[in-house]
Amino acid sequence: MNQTVFGTEMVLLTFIAIIIQIITLFVHFGVIITKPYHRPNWRFLLLIALFIIYNICSGLFPDVNISWMSVFTQNILAFGSGIALASYYFFFLVKEIEITQRKFFNVKFLVTSLIFAFLLLYIITYLLYGDLRTSKSLFIIPPVIVALYFGFNTVMGIRLISSNDSVRNSYRNLNLAGKLGIVFMASMPVVVAIGDYQMINNGLVNVSFLLITLAFYILIFLQAKNKKDMNYKYMRKDILLGITEFGLTPRELEIAGFILKGESYKDLADKMNIASKTISKHASNIFKKTECCNREEFIRKFLSS
């Protein structure tokens, strides 16, 4: 599988991954057509595109045989696409699987640290001293430290919890797949620091793509299949019909049902295995969409009958 394609530096495994991801991209366009206003679908579309860009850039560059582009510029494209993918991947997980952000374990720190290291230790160092090897060696140190930190925190935060609810389990599967993807993604700078092993590096990164893609589509399938059962389980049919007019997402409908049952945010967070702040954020969105000022008004509005 170390065989390269079309006389470039790209190995066959990376090329196959690009083909799979392009096919997935077109398939996902079809999904978006059915739900054009569903934000998670658009976020996932961008994630697929970034995986494709990363595989193309890291697969083709650097290549000393490319005369029309300097190796320095090639590395900018390869490293830059990796930084963009890693940053957006974590952002996607924060938005879609509700990863709890903490001090130094958040999108802002990840993006800031990677961009700062890239600009200062790679680009500026090279422009000052003209030594590509030194600038590359200095640049890779902070990403390795950040990757190990994020990987360790992710492993410590993985919890394997199951229930009899297939849709809720699919959320947990997406959560688990995303977190395992972080671990594989964290291998990117570590492998680069060891040496130029495109097949290993891109292979591990693309495992995260397969994990998150399978989990995401399983979730979509189960939501579509079990939408009625899931919603009716938590509220009466007449109440459900009234709430659905306000355009709540499946997760918001689920939480709305629990709120109407009188569940506290803390108990609901424990039951759904997500942070209390996340429940509060969902509740705020629910109240805003249903034109209610607070929890009490929401309950009065839909239980008054």
Side-chain angles (χ1 to χ4, degrees):
M1 297 297 287
N2 279 313
Q3 177 184 354
T4 58
V5 295
F6 307 122
T8 67
E9 292 293 313
M10 183 180 293
V11 300
L12 182 59
L13 185 64
T14 301
F15 179 73
I16 293 173
I18 292 172
I19 297 300
I20 293 173
Q21 288 159 6
I22 290 176
I23 293 173
T24 306
L25 187 73
F26 282 102
V27 170
H28 197 65
F29 269 120
V31 175
I32 287 179
I33 291 174
T34 63
K35 291 185 176 181
Y37 302 107
H38 191 52
R39 287 186 180 180
N41 282 338
W42 287 102
R43 292 191 186 112
F44 190 68
L45 182 72
L46 179 55
L47 183 63
I48 299 172
L50 287 174
F51 268 104
I52 295 172
I53 293 171
Y54 168 74
N55 277 302
I56 291 174
C57 291
S58 63
L60 294 176
F61 309 133
D63 185 351
V64 294
N65 295 318
I66 297 178
S67 58
W68 51 272
M69 184 185 299
S70 68
V71 175
F72 171 68
T73 303
Q74 292 179 46
N75 276 323
I76 288 179
L77 293 175
F79 292 148
S81 63
I83 291 172
L85 174 60
S87 300
Y88 185 78
Y89 184 84
F90 189 73
F91 169 79
F92 176 84
L93 298 184
V94 168
K95 288 292 184 180
E96 302 307 325
I97 70 173
E98 298 157 352
I99 284 183
T100 302
Q101 299 189 84
R102 301 183 297 276
K103 186 177 182 181
F104 302 126
F105 187 73
N106 54 65
V107 175
K108 184 177 180 180
F109 174 76
L110 177 63
V111 174
T112 302
S113 60
L114 293 181
I115 292 179
F116 180 79
F118 185 54
L119 292 176
L120 180 63
L121 299 180
Y122 181 70
I123 294 180
I124 294 179
T125 300
Y126 177 78
L127 293 176
L128 288 176
Y129 300 102
D131 189 336
L132 192 61
R133 179 175 296 182
T134 299
S135 59
K136 182 178 178 180
S137 299
L138 288 174
F139 156 66
I140 204 64
I141 295 174
V144 168
I145 296 173
V146 172
L148 292 175
Y149 176 76
F150 271 69
F152 174 78
N153 276 273
T154 301
V155 171
M156 297 301 293
I158 291 177
R159 288 185 288 179
L160 301 176
I161 303 175
S162 62
S163 72
N164 294 323
D165 188 327
S166 60
V167 175
R168 193 177 302 164
N169 270 334
S170 67
Y171 276 109
R172 293 195 177 106
N173 291 338
L174 182 62
N175 186 292
L176 177 60
K179 288 179 177 178
L180 289 175
I182 292 177
V183 177
F184 285 109
M185 194 74 70
S187 68
M188 187 195 308
V190 177
V191 174
V192 171
I194 296 173
D196 186 13
Y197 302 106
Q198 182 190 143
M199 188 176 72
I200 298 175
N201 187 43
N202 288 49
L204 290 171
V205 170
N206 286 316
V207 167
S208 66
F209 169 78
L210 293 176
L211 286 171
I212 198 68
T213 300
L214 287 173
F216 188 78
Y217 280 118
I218 289 173
L219 175 60
I220 290 177
F221 172 77
L222 289 175
Q223 282 180 340
K225 181 180 179 182
N226 300 328
K227 185 175 181 180
K228 291 184 179 180
D229 293 337
M230 179 185 71
N231 295 333
Y232 291 168
K233 182 183 294 186
Y234 301 113
M235 64 184 81
R236 297 198 319 263
K237 184 176 180 179
D238 58 330
I239 297 175
L240 171 65
L241 292 175
I243 291 181
T244 51
E245 295 178 359
F246 294 92
L248 271 63
T249 65
R251 174 53 69 93
E252 288 169 349
L253 281 169
E254 184 181 19
I255 292 174
F258 280 122
I259 292 175
L260 292 175
K261 287 177 61 178
E263 296 272 3
S264 69
Y265 292 167
K266 183 179 183 304
D267 291 340
L268 187 51
D270 293 338
K271 182 178 295 186
M272 301 182 73
N273 190 32
I274 55 180
S276 296
K277 289 183 178 179
T278 303
I279 295 293
S280 298
K281 183 177 180 180
H282 280 303
S284 297
N285 291 335
I286 292 168
F287 302 152
K288 183 177 180 180
K289 289 181 179 180
T290 56
E291 301 174 357
C292 297
C293 295
N294 50 45
R295 178 190 180 108
E296 289 72 24
E297 183 179 347
F298 175 76
I299 293 175
R300 286 198 305 270
K301 182 172 184 175
F302 291 99
L303 291 184
S304 59
S305 59

